[in-house]
Amino acid sequence: MSNPKFKPYTRQSIRQARQWQWLPPDQQEAVQVVSHVMPFRTNEYVMEQLIDWSRVPDDPIYRLTFPHRDMLPIEEYRTLRDLVMVKQDDAAIAAYVHQIRMRMNPHPAGQMTHNVPRVNDAPLRGLQHKYNETVLFFPSSGQTCHAYCTFCFRWPQFVGMDDMKFDAKETGELVSYLKNHKEVTDVLITGGDPMIMNTRSLADFIEPLLAPELEHIQNIRIGTKSVAYWPQRFVTDRDADDLMRLFEKVVAAGKNMAIMGHYNHAVELRQDIAQKAVKRIVGTGATLRMQGPLIRHINEDPHSWAELWRTGVRLGAIPYYMFVERDTGPREYFQLPLARAHEIFQQAYQMVSGLARTVRGPSMSAFPGKVVIDGVANIGGEKVFALQFLQARNPDWVRKPFYAKYDPEATWLDHLKPAFGKERFFFETEGAGAHAAPVERKVIPIGSAREGCAPHSNAA
């Protein structure tokens, strides 16, 4: 039997899929309308193997990959529907869609303003450097995915917002930057999805990182959803064996090849081909870490998380992160209160053995850093969230506990207020000086973040 071929579907081609006829008219309309705003791309494997069509529209993978009308406010949807379905005015559609996108916080957590490194006061296109140890690299040929997640915080990469793209055509600037930044130990190749590239193209980006002058680079990471949406990439694709040899080459060079696998639901790891992909990856000596956000409508069941982590551990993968859905895109559709997120994480954590308790969460990748909710406590008669930084722009903040007033409705760090009568969290005032003017709540001074560290761009 021949190996399965990858077959994608977009708004323009989804009608060719046999499952399209199974959708009622209102759902077909929602796909056609909302996909003008958010990226829409799925594939035959997702539709044939991961979606239970008897449960649509409530099937989690359907909601994960197909746009829904509730992702837009009622009036926005009505206006856009009229433009798309009735007036069919391309210029008016483009203008209105841009208006919607710009109010969706297209680049959260300072990605464009604070994470892009600069050399000679010029930004390095396709790089981000937020934390001392880790540089993110966005190869231009990896700026798509096997299928798009409707919640994806990097959605501007896929919808033609070129002024907000991160993409690098080659590794020259990356290598030069790394040579001058010995504090960097990790390079995360991300996108999009780097695994959309063939192995030869991927090797062109990875092999320069094995050079002797970059011996301080210890970990090469690849962020990918392909382990769930197209596991054939590691098993039956024409160059799958070459890909395994590439992973082995990185390991043989004395570096850790870390596949950062994005999984959102247990069903993604129930398929035989998905489990075989995990075994092949770890069989090369590479590591596979499992991470994904907690999303309303998709994975609120703690049993699903526990199953996912247990299955991963059995296959040799490492549970890594449960994230909080970021404050971007159709966040109102997906977000959960932080209190509920902690409850789900705690329930799932209780169901697994110590081998799966490597997972951390729920974690917010916010502007100042990765903030984890450690628990809910009563201290001095006040109910609080116990929080800490797992990673931060200022290394001194890491593992420093702090407390916020308990708020059952809060869904993000910006919604929280300091506990015990304090006006600001420590990271909002640190470094401002005793006589400095008050800063706005969302402005986090990072001037002291590099003190005592190796030289680093002040825009990282």
Side-chain angles (χ1 to χ4, degrees):
M1 186 177 66
S2 61
N3 294 337
K5 292 185 178 180
F6 176 72
K7 184 176 182 180
Y9 293 102
T10 64
R11 181 177 74 243
Q12 290 76 19
S13 61
I14 187 61
R15 288 184 173 87
Q16 299 171 12
R18 65 189 183 94
Q19 294 91 342
W20 181 251
Q21 304 306 319
W22 302 348
L23 296 179
D26 64 321
Q27 290 174 36
Q28 291 182 348
E29 175 192 286
V31 172
Q32 293 298 314
V33 173
V34 181
S35 62
H36 278 81
V37 178
M38 308 308 299
F40 171 55
R41 175 180 166 99
T42 187
N43 67 61
E44 198 161 39
Y45 172 77
V46 171
M47 295 179 68
E48 293 284 351
Q49 301 296 324
L50 301 185
I51 295 175
D52 180 351
W53 292 91
S54 69
R55 296 180 59 197
V56 168
D58 294 325
D59 176 80
I61 306 302
Y62 179 80
R63 288 191 180 272
L64 187 60
T65 54
F66 278 75
H68 299 264
R69 65 182 303 158
D70 292 344
M71 291 176 183
L72 298 178
I74 292 175
E75 288 305 315
E76 277 188 357
Y77 182 86
R78 288 175 178 170
T79 300
L80 185 57
R81 179 197 177 281
D82 184 58
L83 291 173
V84 171
M85 310 297 289
V86 180
K87 296 178 181 177
Q88 299 183 8
D89 184 335
D90 290 344
I93 291 171
Y96 192 62
V97 164
H98 180 75
Q99 177 182 326
I100 294 173
R101 289 172 177 167
M102 293 309 294
R103 65 103 180 138
M104 284 183 163
N105 189 21
H107 268 301
Q111 289 186 99
M112 295 290 292
T113 57
H114 289 72
N115 296 359
V116 179
R118 305 177 73 88
V119 172
N120 297 326
D121 204 33
L124 295 181
R125 186 176 179 91
L127 270 69
Q128 286 188 33
H129 195 175
K130 180 176 181 179
Y131 306 126
N132 277 348
E133 303 83 5
T134 306
V135 163
L136 276 61
F137 179 65
F138 299 75
S140 59
S141 48
Q143 295 304 305
T144 185
C145 297
H146 292 92
Y148 294 142
C149 296
T150 44
F151 68 83
C152 182
F153 79 94
R154 291 214 175 109
W155 58 269
Q157 299 278 103
F158 315 128
V159 295
M161 300 176 77
D162 291 341
D163 58 333
M164 294 190 178
K165 268 191 174 183
F166 296 100
D167 57 348
K169 299 191 185 311
E170 46 85 29
T171 56
E173 287 188 335
L174 171 65
V175 170
S176 296
Y177 184 78
L178 294 176
K179 287 179 181 178
N180 291 320
H181 291 271
K182 301 296 185 180
E183 77 275 18
V184 177
T185 58
D186 293 42
V187 174
L188 170 58
I189 304 173
T190 184
D193 192 331
M195 299 313 305
I196 204 78
M197 293 187 280
N198 61 40
T199 301
R200 179 179 296 178
S201 297
L202 185 62
D204 287 343
F205 291 107
I206 289 179
E207 289 176 347
L209 303 178
L210 307 182
E213 57 266 36
L214 296 181
E215 62 180 358
H216 58 290
I217 304 301
Q218 301 171 14
N219 306 296
I220 299 173
R221 312 187 201 177
I222 298 177
T224 182
K225 182 69 181 177
S226 60
V227 287
Y229 281 170
W230 187 247
Q232 291 85 345
R233 180 70 190 89
F234 306 92
V235 182
T236 59
D237 272 9
R238 183 174 59 183
D239 61 348
D241 290 344
D242 295 334
L243 181 62
M244 298 301 102
R245 303 295 84 76
L246 176 61
F247 292 173
E248 290 172 351
K249 183 175 183 178
V250 174
V251 174
K255 300 183 187 295
N256 174 32
M257 181 78 251
I259 306 303
M260 317 305 290
H262 293 235
Y263 294 95
N264 297 106
H265 195 277
V267 70
E268 296 171 332
L269 201 47
R270 289 176 189 158
Q271 315 304 313
D272 289 343
I273 188 76
Q275 296 194 11
K276 191 170 184 178
V278 175
K279 289 181 178 180
R280 293 203 84 198
I281 291 168
V282 299
T284 66
T287 57
L288 172 59
R289 296 179 185 266
M290 310 170 68
Q291 60 186 22
L294 176 60
I295 324 164
R296 188 159 61 100
H297 304 297
I298 308 293
N299 54 19
E300 299 169 76
D301 181 5
H303 292 86
S304 173
W305 284 98
E307 178 190 340
L308 178 64
W309 297 335
R310 282 195 300 260
T311 304
V313 167
R314 176 172 58 81
L315 297 170
I318 305 166
Y320 189 47
Y321 270 119
M322 176 197 280
F323 290 113
V324 175
E325 169 59 5
R326 291 204 188 199
D327 56 338
T328 183
R331 60 174 299 186
E332 294 83 3
Y333 183 80
F334 291 119
Q335 66 190 6
L336 281 164
L338 297 175
R340 176 62 180 149
H342 175 261
E343 182 180 80
I344 293 170
F345 178 84
Q346 185 179 42
Q347 290 174 355
Y349 200 79
Q350 291 172 350
M351 298 179 196
V352 299
S353 75
L355 291 178
R357 291 185 179 180
T358 51
V359 67
R360 297 172 291 182
S363 172
M364 294 174 277
S365 291
F367 180 84
K370 287 187 173 72
V371 177
V372 68
I373 305 167
D374 269 339
V376 176
N378 279 282
I379 301 178
E382 183 175 345
K383 192 174 184 179
V384 298
F385 285 117
L387 309 163
Q388 67 168 298
F389 282 99
L390 296 177
Q391 183 60 283
R393 291 183 183 275
N394 185 339
D396 292 339
W397 300 346
V398 175
R399 304 291 291 187
K400 185 174 181 179
F402 62 103
Y403 300 91
K405 292 180 180 179
Y406 180 81
D407 182 348
E409 304 300 323
T411 60
W412 195 247
L413 182 65
D414 290 345
H415 302 161
L416 298 178
K417 296 181 179 179
F420 314 131
K422 295 185 177 180
E423 291 188 6
R424 299 181 184 278
F425 293 112
F426 76 90
F427 55 85
E428 294 178 307
T429 58
E430 189 171 287
H435 305 290
V439 294
E440 294 297 324
R441 274 298 306 271
K442 290 188 179 182
V443 177
I444 292 93
I446 60 173
S448 63
R450 305 301 169 194
E451 292 176 4
C453 300
H456 193 291
S457 163
N458 60 12

